[in-house]
Amino acid sequence: METGDPRNSVPPGRGAPFFGFVVAIGALAVLVSAGPLARLPDRLPGMPAAFWTMAVLAVACDARPFVPPGRRRASAVFPSTCFTFAILLGWGLGPAVAVQAVAVAVSGWRLGYALWRTGFNAAQYACALGAAYLVTRLGAGDLFHSGQLRWAEVAAVGGAAAAWFAVNYGLVTTAIRVRFGARWWPRVRLGLGYELLSTGSLLLLAPVLIAAARASAALIPLVLVPLFAVYRMARLSTEREQLAALDPLTGLPNRKALLAEVAEQVHLHAERAARGEPDAHLALLLLDLDRFKHVNDALGHAVGDRLLVEVSARLTAVVGEGDLVARLGGDEFAIVVPRLTGTDHARELADRVVAALAEPVPLDGLPLDVGGSIGIAIFPEHGEDFVTLMRHADVAMYDAKHRNDTVAVYAAESDHNSAERLSLLADLRRVLETTPAVAAQEPPGVRGGDGATLAPAPGLTGPTRDGRALPRNGGRAGGAARTSGGSGRWRLRRRERVEAPHNDELINRIVANADPIRRRARATGPEAVSRVRVESSPVAGGADDPAGDPGEITMYYQPQIEIATGEVVGVEALLRWWHPRRGMVDPGELIQVAEQSAVMRLLTRRVVDDVVEQLAKWSAAGLTLRAALNVSVRDLHTGEIADQIADRLAGYGVRPDRLQVEITEGALMADPRRVLASISQLHRIGVGIALDDFGTGYSSLQHLRRLPLSEVKVDRSFVLGMAEDPDDAAIVRSMIELAGALGLRVVAEGVEDERTWRLLHAAGCDIAQGWFHARPMPAGELVAWLSRYRPVHPVATADADGQRNHPRG
């Protein structure tokens, strides 16, 4: 009985050792059974009716063996084992080997086995029967004619059954190992329990047959009743297992079956890769239907179910014979494609799937468009187990959705849910739940004229955290700072610098290039401005990095300057997270990590609390500033943001017009109806609404017309290049004119040099924000900076006179 792969083929390169093993086992079987078979013709005339009854039943039962249903016919159960082992116990080795050989020939013919396979089965059974016969000789000998059995004979019967099973399973295991290579044990181990139960039961039924035969041969056919019962129970059990691995709606394999399939195929393809075969790649394709929820919502779940059945039929029709299509749940399907030569073949199948789904599905006379996004993960490049391949295929699928594409192959750079990010998210939750919402106490240090904290001069202790501030404006990604093109026609007061050069020239260059004021001073000569020293961040595991410390959340504020008067009219609140191991966490990464979880709610609550509390403190100190804060898509969708802001404003006694909420056009596009409801509620409270990153989203004119906006912020990607790029300058001027026509205030982000500010003034821009005046800084530094700041008024120049648009009154 074979438990290995039932296919009648041998992998390339393994024919010689495998068939050599088959021949060797055949020779051993002939050696074991030649003598008993030679004496068999003389014994047959004297055989009792019980023997002939068992022989006929053995051959008849093996004409219809039990083959477990499924994609592979493996581990078939042959009832002849029961009868031939009983014959061995009652009449010896020769009759048992002869009957077994006839039964194997019949079953091999019925199952379509190759000739070599049938011969090997007969040989393995002969060897197993020979081993069992040797053990029976330890007992009383011929059990059929002996008297009452003693414990020694009973033990001999049990030992004979164990010897039969050990030799038979050992030969099959060795054949699998020789046939398929070194990775043989998982296949054998998975079938061991099934073999012990099925074959062991048949072997232990043989002594019962012998006992019945000693009474009357007529009792022997009665064993067919328990055999049939065992057969039916085995079939029902297997069918239940099979049904548990199927999706009840589509009839496709489910996730459980997919896991088993991928595990087996990974094993087989690892063997192919070890042999250097070109088709050693395995592809896992993950398909998620587009707009399926709309079908369920509009037409009902019954129509959605029919759509899924049609999709499953199309997928089954487009894949190859050896491929597996599974439904994972909802509108998600998976396809396993074995024996590929590379990624291109997987893409070809994905393209065929996309083409098959492109044709509308007619349901109830309504053609429904079905599309999907497919993610591809390849073994072994993208993973060597089911969990890894599944996760990477899922990452690729969402990458395709994000790019509005249909097919994407896994790429590490698209994996935004790495273990590092999950750890970062856990640390963010801890810092929000454990640290109080109070203004951070900054260590003493020397302040630069642009508002950034410089490193302490020699003799002062403690690293400065904002010395690690990222080269960003408002926490958003941007290009490199541009060289100033100004002619020096500004009435700027002198600002003193502290000379504290860093011992790393590369850090000095980065700091100088990131700060436009330092960059301009460096261009005029080393005497004008001395370099500053930037302290490195604490090293993970050091004395300043206590185990489990999640760091500290701090709000930084960047001034917003009215261009016409040079007055500070507001600030933008920007989130900063100093992490003990990562240093200052990139604000963009922080928001991206938080937005995908419930942590975003905690983060928003913290930001609102800090900003409103700070406004109250400034108001008590006599500072009248407007503070702007960013809110995420998740905040606007929940609808809680308006109630939270209203509660905090009332609790701290802050006027609503002192607070402004900034939203992006991307947030509007996510769900315009719910976002508009939240914005309208904020507007009724009296909170200002600003459209951030203006010009980078969609349907800008529609948003400007419909939304209760008070301000638009021109994205820094346009402002940064307007001094050198005429196209960027034209775009900025057009945005300013459009907003002015609608009566909206215009704020330009990313103002980093004099010429840009002068061009913005000429274009009629209202407010500037950027490093030209100040970096983002903690609240304590902002107060000190304001005390030193003197308004700077732009002076008209020849290059700006020709394009001057006077600001609105």
Side-chain angles (χ1 to χ4, degrees):
M1 178 178 54
E2 180 159 336
T3 62
D5 192 336
R7 292 171 295 183
N8 298 321
S9 62
V10 179
R14 312 205 64 87
F18 176 73
F19 286 113
F21 175 76
V22 171
V23 172
I25 297 303
L28 179 62
V30 170
L31 184 63
V32 168
S33 58
L37 288 176
R39 296 189 295 270
L40 183 60
D42 297 334
R43 298 183 56 191
L44 285 179
M47 287 294 184
F51 165 78
W52 293 108
T53 303
M54 291 184 189
V56 171
L57 290 176
V59 175
C61 288
D62 265 17
R64 189 180 177 83
F66 170 56
V67 181
R71 299 183 70 237
R72 296 175 179 80
R73 299 188 304 172
S75 301
V77 178
F78 298 94
S80 64
T81 300
C82 171
F83 298 103
T84 56
F85 190 64
I87 292 173
L88 174 74
L89 296 178
W91 295 282
L93 181 60
V97 171
V99 173
Q100 186 70 77
V102 176
V104 167
V106 171
S107 63
W109 169 71
R110 288 280 296 175
L111 295 176
Y113 284 173
L115 185 61
W116 64 263
R117 185 180 180 84
T118 301
F120 175 75
N121 289 157
Q124 80 181 59
Y125 285 130
C127 293
L129 289 169
Y133 180 73
L134 290 177
V135 176
T136 61
R137 304 311 299 171
L138 300 176
D142 193 347
L143 297 179
F144 182 74
H145 296 288
S146 64
Q148 186 175 0
L149 297 179
R150 298 187 300 271
W151 283 108
E153 280 75 22
V154 174
V157 171
W164 188 102
F165 184 87
V167 171
N168 182 75
Y169 202 72
L171 291 176
V172 171
T173 299
T174 306
I176 292 175
R177 182 172 185 177
V178 175
R179 186 178 179 186
F180 294 106
R183 293 173 61 96
W184 58 277
W185 174 244
R187 178 189 297 272
V188 173
R189 178 178 55 81
L190 290 175
L192 181 58
Y194 181 82
E195 287 294 325
L196 282 171
L197 181 62
S198 59
T199 306
S201 299
L202 292 174
L203 291 173
L204 296 179
L205 190 58
V208 179
L209 278 176
I210 289 296
R214 292 174 65 177
S216 172
L219 296 176
I220 295 176
L222 296 180
V223 79
L224 295 177
V225 176
L227 280 179
F228 178 75
V230 171
Y231 173 87
R232 287 297 300 167
M233 286 189 294
R235 176 171 287 277
L236 290 174
S237 176
T238 304
E239 288 176 352
R240 281 197 298 268
E241 291 181 2
Q242 185 183 28
L243 289 175
L246 293 179
D247 174 56
L249 175 64
T250 62
L252 295 176
N254 58 14
R255 183 181 292 269
K256 177 182 177 181
L258 178 68
L259 188 155
E261 174 73 8
V262 172
E264 180 175 352
Q265 289 295 344
V266 163
H267 161 69
L268 295 176
H269 285 72
E271 295 173 351
R272 294 192 181 101
R275 295 191 295 267
E277 298 178 14
D279 59 345
H281 296 271
L282 171 72
L284 176 61
L285 280 64
L286 202 59
L287 166 67
D288 186 80
L289 300 182
D290 296 333
R291 301 174 300 277
F292 179 74
K293 181 178 183 298
H294 298 168
V295 175
N296 273 341
D297 293 344
L299 304 177
H301 288 272
V303 176
D305 290 346
R306 290 166 57 193
L307 178 61
L308 291 174
V309 172
E310 175 62 26
V311 169
S312 66
R314 293 189 181 187
L315 294 178
T316 305
V318 78
V319 302
E321 181 179 354
D323 304 339
L324 178 137
V325 180
R327 182 187 175 216
L328 305 182
D331 59 343
E332 199 169 49
F333 296 84
I335 304 175
V336 180
V337 190
R339 310 196 69 162
L340 298 178
T341 57
T343 305
D344 292 340
H345 285 184
R347 276 190 170 274
E348 290 176 5
L349 175 62
D351 291 338
R352 293 202 304 270
V353 170
V354 171
L357 297 179
E359 188 70 21
V361 178
L363 291 177
D364 296 337
L366 181 65
L368 300 178
D369 288 325
V370 180
S373 301
I374 300 177
I376 302 175
I378 305 293
F379 169 89
E381 289 87 344
H382 303 148
E384 297 185 355
D385 56 75
F386 171 79
V387 174
T388 304
L389 289 172
M390 190 70 181
R391 189 176 72 83
H392 288 171
D394 191 62
V395 169
M397 181 192 71
Y398 279 103
D399 183 38
K401 283 185 176 295
H402 179 72
R403 295 188 286 106
N404 293 322
D405 201 353
T406 53
V407 180
V409 179
Y410 172 76
E413 55 268 22
S414 301
D415 194 351
H416 301 305
N417 294 314
S418 62
E420 182 181 1
R421 287 214 167 188
L422 292 178
S423 174
L424 188 67
L425 181 62
D427 285 346
L428 178 59
R429 176 181 287 276
R430 287 169 53 215
V431 74
L432 290 173
E433 291 177 342
T434 58
T435 57
V438 296
Q441 297 297 323
E442 293 299 316
V446 182
R447 312 300 180 183
D450 61 356
T453 301
L454 305 182
L460 295 179
T461 59
T464 58
R465 292 177 181 175
D466 57 346
R468 292 182 48 80
L470 300 174
R472 304 173 74 86
N473 179 39
R476 297 173 181 81
R482 300 180 181 271
T483 304
S484 172
S487 58
R489 300 183 182 181
W490 294 86
R491 295 192 295 271
L492 298 175
R493 67 186 184 91
R494 292 182 178 272
R495 296 169 178 172
E496 296 181 356
R497 307 283 171 159
V498 176
E499 181 174 3
H502 197 277
N503 56 8
D504 191 333
E505 177 61 24
L506 177 60
I507 293 182
N508 286 326
R509 291 172 57 190
I510 293 174
V511 172
N513 287 331
D515 189 341
I517 297 179
R518 296 189 181 106
R519 186 175 63 246
R520 289 194 301 272
R522 187 186 61 172
T524 60
E527 298 80 14
V529 177
S530 301
R531 292 174 179 170
V532 298
R533 175 169 168 250
V534 179
E535 295 288 344
S536 59
S537 64
V539 180
D544 295 331
D545 180 23
D549 181 11
E552 184 179 25
I553 289 288
T554 309
M555 296 307 300
Y556 276 47
Y557 299 89
Q558 185 169 35
Q560 296 176 333
I561 312 298
E562 187 171 14
I563 296 178
T565 64
E567 299 291 340
V568 179
V569 294
V571 293
E572 181 180 4
L574 302 169
L575 190 65
R576 294 292 184 265
W577 178 20
W578 184 85
H579 195 278
R581 293 179 300 278
R582 297 170 56 108
M584 195 68 76
V585 178
D586 184 298
E589 182 181 10
L590 190 158
I591 298 300
Q592 188 177 36
V593 168
E595 272 191 324
Q596 306 302 320
S597 70
V599 175
M600 192 67 224
R601 183 179 180 182
L602 298 175
L603 187 61
T604 301
R605 182 180 303 170
R606 174 64 172 274
V607 170
V608 171
D609 288 349
D610 281 4
V611 172
V612 175
E613 180 183 9
Q614 190 59 58
L615 284 173
K617 290 180 179 179
W618 285 335
S619 179
L623 291 177
T624 304
L625 293 174
R626 179 182 66 247
L629 60 88
N630 293 274
V631 294
S632 71
V633 180
R634 194 182 186 99
D635 299 324
L636 296 172
H637 282 183
T638 61
E640 299 176 359
I641 185 68
D643 294 334
Q644 180 184 352
I645 289 177
D647 178 69
R648 296 302 184 273
L649 290 174
Y652 284 102
V654 176
R655 288 168 30 201
D657 60 356
R658 297 276 305 280
L659 187 67
Q660 182 166 276
V661 171
E662 296 184 2
I663 62 173
T664 63
E665 294 187 48
L668 295 175
M669 294 303 295
D671 192 335
R673 182 180 58 82
R674 286 198 290 179
V675 171
L676 182 59
S678 298
I679 293 174
S680 299
Q681 187 176 356
L682 287 170
H683 177 67
R684 288 193 295 270
I685 295 172
V687 174
I689 307 296
L691 186 61
D692 200 5
D693 299 339
F694 182 53
T696 61
Y698 308 93
S699 305
S700 300
L701 296 179
Q702 181 181 3
H703 293 159
L704 292 177
R705 180 174 57 87
R706 295 177 55 191
L707 298 176
L709 300 176
S710 59
E711 177 180 290
V712 294
K713 302 188 71 174
V714 180
D715 188 69
R716 73 191 311 270
S717 61
F718 301 111
V719 176
L720 282 172
M722 66 180 299
E724 286 83 14
D725 190 336
D727 292 336
D728 281 351
I731 291 173
V732 172
R733 288 196 301 270
S734 299
M735 293 178 183
I736 294 173
E737 292 176 0
L738 175 61
L742 295 173
L744 300 176
R745 186 171 57 245
V746 182
V747 177
E749 298 181 296
V751 181
E752 297 192 353
D753 54 56
E754 300 173 9
R755 188 180 179 196
T756 300
W757 197 27
R758 185 169 63 252
L759 291 174
L760 290 169
H761 172 65
C765 184
D766 298 297
I767 297 171
Q769 175 182 337
W771 284 9
F772 176 68
H773 282 96
R775 294 187 182 191
M777 64 191 84
E781 286 190 28
L782 179 65
V783 174
W785 181 86
L786 288 171
S787 67
R788 300 190 306 268
Y789 175 74
R790 298 295 180 270
V792 179
H793 304 275
V795 178
T797 58
D799 62 339
D801 286 339
Q803 53 183 354
R804 176 65 180 258
N805 293 326
H806 292 284
R808 297 174 296 282

